[in-house]
Amino acid sequence: MSQQVGVIKRINGSLVVAEGLRGARTGDAVYIGELKLIGEVVRISGDLVALQCYEDTSGLRPGEPVIGTGAPLMAELGPGLIGEIFDGLERSEIELWKLTGPFIRRGVRLAPLRRDRRWRFEPRAKPGDEVEEGDVIGVVQESSVVEHRILVPVGLQGVIESIEEGSFTVDDTVAVLVTPDGGRVPLKLIQYWPVRVPRPYRERVPIDRPLITGQRVIDTFFPVAKGGTAAIPGGFGSGKTITLQQIAKWSDADIVIYVGCGERGNEMADILTHFPELEDPRTGKKLIERAIFIANVSNLPVAAREASVYMGVTIAEYFRDQGYDVAVIIDSTSRWAEALRDISGRLEEIPAEEGYPAYLGERIAELYERAGRVVTLGRDKRIGSVTIMGAVSPPGGDFSEPVTSTTMRFVGALWALDTELAYRRHFPAINWLRSFTRYVEVLEEFWVKLDPQWKTYRERALAILEEASRLEEIARVIGEKALPNDQRLILLTAEIIREGFLVQNAYHKVDTYCPPERQVKLLKVMIGFHDLASELVKLGVPVDRIRSLRSVMELLRLKEKEGLEEMDAAYERVREDLERLRMEYEAAGVMRGT
Amino acid sequence: MSLAREKAGPIYRTVREVRGPLLVVEGVKGVRYNELVEVKLADGTEIIGTVLDVYEDRAVVQVFGQTEGLSLDTAVRFTGDVMRIPLSEDLVGRIFSGSFRPLDGLPEPIGYERREIFVSVINPAAREPPSEFMQTGISVIDGMNALVRGQKLPIFSEAGLPHNVMAAQIARQSTVLGSEEEFAVVFCAMGIKHEEYEYFRREFERTGALDRAVMILNLADDPIIERIIAPRIALTIAEYLAFDLDMHVLAILTDMTGYCEALRSISIAREEVPARKGYPGYMYSDLASIYERAGKIKGKKGSITMMPILTMPGGDITHPIPDLTGYITEGQLILSRELHGKGIYPPVNPLPSLSRLMKDGVGPGRTREDHMEVANQLYMAYAEGVRARDLARIIGELSLSDRERRYLRFAEEFERRFINQGIYENRPIERTLEIAWELLAMLPEDELVRISEENIRKYHPKYRSA
């Protein structure tokens, strides 16, 4: 790496202009001033270089030096990522705390991966093996659930000359590779990758399996596929963060990366405190053993938010390349977009809508395009995926603003949060009329295995909900009582679906996570009820009689039951009650002689 | 002046441009970004400022204080240091201006150390998630939007609503169940009227809270630009009291709308591209740098609980000020003109109000096991009732179904008995929950779906009297 040296000319917030950084390229990392604050080259004009500084620039003055590293901002990749909490520049916040106390200090240089920790390395290749980029040369059991696969770095191939089993730090050489031109390259547990460049793969493959989140409204109605993208826009107080946290906790990805980008400090503290206690319902292991956090909270420097998102996605791609399904959750992409706006404004670029730069759409598209399900590099043709789910925080809850409207164009699923639902304490407050998914067809196969009628249930439930919202509009004017009976039944069924299916209590020990089998069963019971009840309504049974049946109201609490048999039993009770009601009415009809 | 370190630097008389609160000074040397600047006007008045932009030998200085009288004759001295204030326990009981001048006739404070006021970020990994229930004695808060120590919970109000009365009541009554600890109030006024300030002062005085308070005042007729530093001075003091002296601090910031207006006028003077309604694009981050100073730190006893008050311009919750605030704070209490008009105090509309941290502060071992469920059920029932009321306005009460009529009655009673209470009435949480159950008993038991069966058995008046 060639070092370049320049001198500060101007400081304006996070923008620093330097002179004399010859040979600098945009995207190069730099150290600014005597404090060596971390920054990046964003624009070059003649002898002047504009830098975006990732730390607070107070106290800098013209004349201080700037050192160019000649290399772009890199992520360190290797054992030690799992369970960590990093800032946007991949500095461990736990280590920073030990080092500088509870308040963040500037200019602290800290290696992302701990250098003092030793890892047990087990070779999977032997001397004489021919290997190419992406091949697994060995593994490190990083946590009880994550086997960290050590890959031949991108761009390398050759023959393994030596490889050693044993206990190593990330900097130690574990193997030596002889390249075709005869060079000898030491392979280590650590490798580097520029965060703004997508990591390469062999090819994309069709996405065909769901990312199960255990959240009924998502999995059943608006599913996202592994390797897909989803956005979750919502005004404040619509329960965005809780919904994202639920996804982070329960989704069936191998690795979960949570990027807290410009959000609340107490929320991050809450996640960091509670995650280590939570257990994965599938493995029984602690969720922290598969999670990585990037906590670039709202009062950290704005510019670092920009980097934090790419840092998260780069780490995700690295685990994807090992053959894992990775879920990336970004809360919130709006704060990231604001960072783009901030630096664009300081560069005096001509703004497009609401002060955002004209390239906002391009950046959002590029970000979501880093999701996907791929065949990775390496000869064993592993399959891995990155799913990106981004929160959007529209100002005033207005979905037509630039970040929300642009994001909606590039994602495969949209979970539109609704403040009105949140006011009614309907959580997750995902509005079933405004949300969409493009993954139903590709995921059908998965669900049909659980119940061949799945698609029908889903479509009918959505139709009932849609019809109900139309009827509610009318009822708001003329009163529910004035509606005919068959329409009142639709309102009743919709209420059962809403309260008994869509509403999910994140704090209830059973309800917090609903496995797919239970989701299908629950929906089947509700649609079954509707069919039986429709028969009765045709006979002239008033809906109020149906509503007053205890077994019907029990459907609302069915979601709190763990066993599938309990659901069958509940359905049986509804069927019996309705049957009795039918006989009663048929008898009355016979009496009347009809 | 107490904000500057006692260190002389050269005095420049090279102001080339005056634009609102901004001065462009040329021919300067070694000026640091964001450093403190002392500015002396032609008539001898001394004010302070900071460096906003420095380009080689040219610095843009933003002054805090009166902007009338700025001229090309203004003398400028760069102090070489960022803005700091001296800190000691003697600050408690004192009153200062927005630029830290004593207003109580006492001498300038001396501290053990001088701490910078602008940059202070708690490491997220070092934060302790707030979890201690703070009883305010106000049912609609404790019962449905409980406040916990270390939380930031703003009051969204409108002109003419009793937000100040409420804030004073909270300051007076706030206690943590089962604890007797050191307590202080940090009060920061930004652009409020003299009579509003007088009200707070009288209330604090009457209850002895004044001796436990630090007041930073920028009143309506004080220089608007000072509002940028006033909350930062207040919170630097709050941090010192909380994290150095182990005190539990309640920080009241009023009115944040006054603060944001100051932020906007600087942005406009700098000719920045505005985001919404003329407010700058960085307002979210700027507000976050204030609000995020609330909290608790692992291994420290003290805490900062923050209650910012803002008046929503035109009552519009989508206005950038309440909107951005709501995205940063952990919930909001929203005052309603309609409830106020009905004579309900405090006129908190529970439906759009929210305390995000309530779940961590209530429940078994903290308040009571049924607390959260009761709160959710009250929400649901009141929302139903309000809907029935809207419907009755259109089709008449007689056309409502029995169910709707029942919820309508519930809503009326709920407002009258649960939300409504006296300004000096301090309701313990047990009493609040008792009233809640009496109200919920008006509804059929089957409809209490947000409450578990065990808790219904245990707390429903029907089973308790039996």
Side-chain angles (χ1 to χ4, degrees):
Chain A
M1 277 189 235
S2 62
Q3 273 207 348
Q4 312 132 349
V5 181
V7 172
I8 296 179
K9 302 290 280 182
R10 178 185 183 185
I11 306 116
N12 173 5
S14 62
L15 177 76
V16 174
V17 178
E19 188 181 46
L21 272 179
R22 265 169 234 286
R25 290 165 302 180
T26 56
D28 278 3
V30 291
Y31 296 114
I32 301 168
E34 278 146 18
L35 281 171
K36 296 209 159 115
L37 308 179
I38 300 172
E40 204 180 21
V41 176
V42 289
R43 181 197 276 176
I44 303 162
S45 60
D47 206 22
L48 294 180
V49 177
L51 312 167
Q52 162 167 262
C53 184
Y54 291 131
E55 298 182 83
D56 181 61
T57 52
S58 292
L60 283 184
R61 57 184 169 188
E64 288 191 44
V66 175
I67 301 166
T69 61
L73 187 66
M74 295 276 191
E76 273 193 13
L77 303 166
L81 291 167
I82 299 289
E84 256 300 352
I85 154 174
F86 294 113
D87 71 359
L89 301 172
E90 213 191 359
R91 288 178 294 201
S92 160
E93 287 176 345
I94 296 161
E95 297 297 312
L96 284 177
W97 176 23
K98 285 186 205 152
L99 215 61
T100 66
F103 289 88
I104 298 274
R105 302 267 175 272
R106 295 182 296 155
V108 180
R109 304 215 358 227
L110 191 66
L113 298 180
R114 285 178 57 175
R115 295 307 198 259
D116 55 349
R117 193 155 166 196
R118 304 187 85 84
W119 302 94
R120 180 92 209 148
F121 174 73
E122 282 179 44
R124 287 285 186 270
K126 53 187 187 307
D129 282 0
E130 230 175 273
V131 293
E132 60 179 48
E133 54 180 6
D135 278 346
V136 179
I137 57 161
V139 299
V140 164
Q141 194 66 41
E142 184 169 357
S143 75
S144 68
V145 289
V146 177
E147 179 192 78
H148 199 117
R149 297 167 188 153
I150 307 301
L151 309 177
V152 175
V154 174
L156 279 183
Q157 57 167 323
V159 176
I160 302 267
E161 185 187 70
S162 64
I163 186 161
E164 262 179 274
E165 181 172 353
S167 172
F168 298 101
T169 70
V170 291
D171 280 333
D172 292 336
T173 299
V174 296
V176 175
L177 185 74
V178 179
T179 56
D181 56 13
R184 296 171 77 243
V185 182
L187 299 182
K188 299 174 177 182
L189 300 182
I190 197 171
Q191 42 183 290
Y192 299 86
W193 192 260
V195 298
R196 289 177 200 281
V197 181
R199 282 175 62 90
Y201 47 81
R202 195 176 294 268
E203 60 177 341
R204 282 189 184 251
V205 290
I207 46 182
D208 59 3
R209 49 200 69 187
L211 182 81
I212 296 296
T213 65
Q215 309 304 301
R216 289 183 293 264
V217 59
I218 293 176
D219 294 349
T220 296
F221 289 119
F222 305 103
V224 64
K226 288 201 174 101
T229 53
I232 175 162
F236 68 83
S238 52
K240 191 162 35 83
T241 303
I242 299 282
T243 309
L244 288 174
Q245 288 183 11
Q246 284 294 96
I247 295 169
K249 284 174 192 166
W250 308 127
S251 65
D252 65 343
D254 300 314
I255 312 275
V256 172
I257 299 177
Y258 197 99
V259 184
C261 175
E263 287 293 308
R264 304 177 181 92
N266 274 340
E267 258 163 25
M268 282 317 295
D270 185 58
I271 295 183
L272 297 172
T273 308
H274 292 121
F275 245 74
E277 301 160 8
L278 292 168
E279 273 180 19
D280 186 329
R282 283 169 297 268
T283 61
K285 296 281 168 46
K286 299 279 186 233
L287 287 175
I288 191 83
E289 305 210 6
R290 55 155 209 195
I292 300 167
F293 302 97
I294 295 180
N296 208 85
V297 292
S298 60
N299 52 342
L300 282 169
V302 178
R305 274 184 218 161
E306 213 251 323
S308 69
V309 167
Y310 296 111
M311 190 62 75
V313 176
T314 302
I315 296 173
E317 287 173 341
Y318 171 67
F319 280 102
R320 172 202 70 189
D321 292 347
Q322 295 174 38
Y324 290 117
D325 291 316
V326 189
V328 184
I329 293 162
I330 303 168
D331 184 15
S332 141
T333 58
S334 294
R335 307 300 164 219
W336 165 73
E338 280 168 15
L340 292 179
R341 174 168 69 184
D342 187 73
I343 195 71
S344 163
R346 289 184 198 274
L347 286 168
E348 295 172 1
E349 292 171 340
I350 293 171
E353 223 178 322
E354 288 187 23
Y356 286 103
Y359 47 79
L360 175 72
E362 212 176 301
R363 292 286 171 89
I364 290 177
E366 279 167 13
L367 174 66
Y368 283 105
E369 276 305 299
R370 289 180 76 169
R373 188 153 175 267
V374 304
V375 176
T376 65
L377 299 180
R379 274 179 291 197
D380 60 347
K381 301 218 168 84
R382 296 173 303 268
I383 289 183
S385 70
V386 172
T387 311
I388 300 183
M389 289 162 281
V392 186
S393 318
D398 169 15
F399 283 17
S400 69
E401 62 91 33
V403 182
T404 316
S405 58
T406 313
T407 303
M408 282 164 77
R409 281 168 40 214
F410 297 118
V411 293
L414 183 84
W415 305 320
L417 293 174
D418 182 342
T419 318
E420 281 300 313
L421 288 176
Y423 285 177
R424 280 168 24 207
R425 292 304 183 262
H426 173 119
F427 290 119
I430 295 175
N431 182 313
W432 49 92
L433 300 175
R434 295 174 76 185
S435 300
F436 66 73
T437 179
R438 300 194 180 115
Y439 300 117
V440 173
E441 277 69 36
V442 293
L443 301 181
E444 203 182 327
E445 200 186 324
F446 169 89
W447 287 95
V448 165
K449 275 186 211 140
L450 297 175
D451 191 313
Q453 294 292 306
W454 176 75
K455 203 173 175 192
T456 321
Y457 300 149
R458 178 182 179 276
E459 277 166 8
R460 289 195 54 201
L462 277 174
I464 289 170
L465 288 168
E466 216 154 310
E467 175 72 3
S469 75
R470 197 179 60 82
L471 294 174
E472 269 163 19
E473 294 285 318
I474 301 171
R476 212 164 287 153
V477 183
I478 61 169
E480 195 195 320
K481 265 199 322 191
L483 292 177
N485 247 332
D486 56 337
Q487 296 190 342
R488 292 191 67 190
L489 177 65
I490 291 196
L491 289 180
L492 175 62
T493 308
E495 186 189 326
I496 291 172
I497 295 175
R498 269 204 317 265
E499 283 296 321
F501 192 88
L502 297 175
V503 170
Q504 195 165 351
N505 184 349
Y507 304 107
H508 188 282
K509 59 183 188 304
V510 176
D511 201 24
T512 185
Y513 171 78
C514 189
E517 323 59 271
R518 257 181 28 220
Q519 299 190 23
V520 176
K521 188 67 125 186
L522 205 49
L523 199 62
K524 180 181 179 176
V525 168
M526 288 171 183
I527 298 295
F529 156 77
H530 186 72
D531 288 342
L532 292 174
S534 297
E535 296 288 313
L536 265 66
V537 165
K538 278 188 204 138
L539 289 174
V541 181
V543 170
D544 284 337
R545 284 294 307 275
I546 299 174
R547 179 192 278 279
S548 65
L549 293 173
R550 202 179 164 84
S551 61
V552 171
M553 293 325 275
E554 265 176 24
L555 293 178
L556 297 180
R557 287 184 185 276
L558 209 48
K559 58 187 179 182
E560 293 168 10
K561 307 276 187 280
E562 235 163 329
L564 294 175
E565 324 75 54
E566 285 177 279
M567 294 190 183
D568 288 328
Y571 179 71
E572 206 40 47
R573 280 194 297 277
V574 170
R575 206 187 55 77
E576 280 166 17
D577 277 0
L578 291 177
E579 190 56 35
R580 213 165 296 134
L581 207 55
R582 170 210 279 276
M583 293 198 317
E584 191 185 311
Y585 267 76
E586 275 174 350
V590 170
M591 298 276 283
R592 280 200 305 273
T594 48
Chain B
M1 245 183 294
S2 52
L3 284 166
R5 211 176 243 168
E6 308 304 320
K7 196 172 97 184
I11 292 173
Y12 293 98
R13 292 185 178 278
T14 47
V15 176
R16 288 287 172 267
E17 197 183 331
V18 178
R19 205 191 317 144
L22 304 181
L23 298 174
V24 178
V25 194
E26 288 188 349
V28 299
K29 250 200 172 125
V31 167
R32 294 172 184 275
Y33 178 71
N34 217 6
E35 81 173 277
L36 177 69
V37 183
E38 291 173 354
V39 177
K40 200 168 182 182
L41 307 189
D43 66 357
T45 316
E46 284 183 19
I47 51 179
I48 53 167
T50 58
V51 176
L52 273 193
D53 190 347
V54 48
Y55 196 168
E56 296 187 348
D57 65 345
R58 189 168 159 276
V60 179
V61 174
Q62 167 191 320
V63 302
F64 299 108
Q66 66 174 74
T67 50
E68 299 82 33
L70 286 177
S71 70
L72 299 184
D73 299 333
T74 306
V76 177
R77 188 176 78 87
F78 295 89
T79 62
D81 192 15
V82 293
M83 207 179 287
R84 292 171 192 272
I85 56 168
L87 293 164
S88 78
E89 65 272 20
D90 297 339
L91 292 174
V92 178
R94 299 286 310 264
I95 304 174
F96 299 95
S97 77
S99 52
F100 209 57
R101 286 198 183 86
L103 294 179
D104 48 10
L106 295 170
E108 298 250 349
I110 307 167
Y112 303 114
E113 65 170 309
R114 309 174 63 86
R115 217 169 270 176
E116 65 175 296
I117 66 164
F118 270 93
V119 183
S120 167
V121 179
I122 301 176
N123 183 330
R127 272 186 190 268
E128 170 90 36
S131 63
E132 289 166 277
F133 172 68
M134 211 165 141
Q135 180 175 293
T136 64
I138 297 175
S139 288
V140 67
I141 299 178
D142 295 348
M144 298 173 75
N145 295 291
L147 184 61
V148 295
R149 247 180 197 171
Q151 184 175 11
K152 38 194 182 294
L153 189 65
I155 300 176
F156 288 6
S157 187
E158 291 177 51
L161 296 184
H163 43 265
N164 290 332
V165 177
M166 213 177 119
Q169 186 174 9
I170 291 167
R172 213 164 44 225
Q173 298 181 169
S174 291
T175 51
V176 169
L177 290 183
S179 71
E180 292 281 328
E181 284 156 325
E182 281 244 71
F183 185 76
V185 175
V186 171
F187 179 83
C188 178
M190 289 160 284
I192 66 170
K193 291 179 296 199
H194 277 269
E195 57 175 90
E196 291 175 286
Y197 159 63
E198 278 303 323
Y199 174 80
F200 277 106
R201 209 186 59 84
R202 261 199 329 271
E203 281 299 310
F204 288 168
E205 201 164 28
R206 236 160 55 107
T207 52
L210 198 59
D211 299 334
R212 318 266 351 118
V214 186
M215 295 196 156
I216 308 295
L217 303 178
N218 173 282
L219 301 183
D221 54 354
D222 289 330
I224 177 171
I225 302 300
E226 262 183 25
R227 292 177 200 163
I228 299 296
I229 44 177
R232 288 165 166 113
I233 290 172
L235 290 167
T236 304
I237 297 170
E239 280 168 354
Y240 178 76
L241 299 179
F243 305 129
D244 288 67
L245 302 184
D246 293 337
M247 294 169 115
H248 292 290
V249 180
L250 176 69
I252 298 175
L253 311 178
T254 178
D255 176 336
M256 289 308 292
T257 307
Y259 171 81
C260 293
E261 280 163 1
L263 201 63
R264 176 168 67 178
S265 58
I266 291 167
S267 174
I268 289 170
R270 295 181 67 184
E271 297 174 356
E272 290 168 335
V273 179
R276 288 207 159 187
K277 299 207 174 177
Y279 291 94
Y282 51 78
M283 193 155 88
Y284 173 84
S285 303
D286 188 278
L287 285 173
S289 74
I290 293 177
Y291 296 144
E292 282 289 333
R293 291 172 82 163
K296 294 187 71 182
I297 292 177
K298 283 181 184 147
K300 304 238 181 211
K301 269 170 74 184
S303 64
I304 300 177
T305 309
M306 196 187 289
M307 183 154 280
I309 298 172
L310 58 89
T311 45
M312 297 182 279
D316 175 12
I317 196 170
T318 67
H319 186 282
I321 299 172
D323 188 54
L324 295 176
T325 297
Y327 273 120
I328 304 163
T329 54
E330 285 128 3
Q332 65 279 336
L333 298 171
I334 298 185
L335 303 194
S336 141
R337 198 171 282 288
E338 191 187 330
L339 286 174
H340 183 62
K342 279 187 178 172
I344 307 280
Y345 171 86
V348 176
N349 180 0
L351 296 182
S353 297
L354 170 73
S355 166
R356 290 167 191 276
L357 303 184
M358 174 172 184
K359 60 179 195 326
D360 305 316
V362 306
R366 296 199 160 94
T367 53
R368 222 169 70 179
E369 58 202 323
D370 59 330
H371 192 160
M372 201 67 218
E373 293 178 357
V374 165
N376 283 334
Q377 191 68 57
L378 287 174
Y379 267 108
M380 198 174 151
Y382 183 58
E384 277 302 306
V386 169
R387 202 153 48 170
R389 185 151 64 200
D390 290 343
L391 188 61
R393 273 189 204 130
I394 304 168
I395 61 170
E397 206 181 315
L398 284 176
S399 314
L400 295 181
S401 67
D402 290 345
R403 182 169 180 273
E404 286 159 343
R405 257 206 297 274
R406 199 154 38 220
Y407 276 99
L408 176 60
R409 258 202 324 277
F410 171 86
E412 301 290 337
E413 286 295 299
F414 172 79
E415 288 170 3
R416 210 174 50 79
R417 293 178 51 202
F418 188 86
I419 303 184
N420 194 35
Q421 71 181 83
I423 294 173
Y424 294 99
E425 186 183 353
N426 192 349
R427 285 187 195 154
I429 182 63
E430 294 76 21
R431 178 66 195 135
T432 292
L433 291 174
E434 200 179 304
I435 301 173
W437 273 109
E438 285 165 15
L439 291 165
L440 290 176
M442 294 169 66
L443 304 172
E445 203 188 308
D446 274 354
E447 305 216 357
L448 303 182
V449 290
R450 299 281 158 103
I451 305 181
S452 68
E453 279 160 34
E454 307 90 80
N455 281 336
I456 291 181
R457 286 273 143 67
K458 197 160 166 195
Y459 295 105
H460 196 294
K462 188 171 96 186
Y463 297 103
R464 298 186 91 183
S465 50

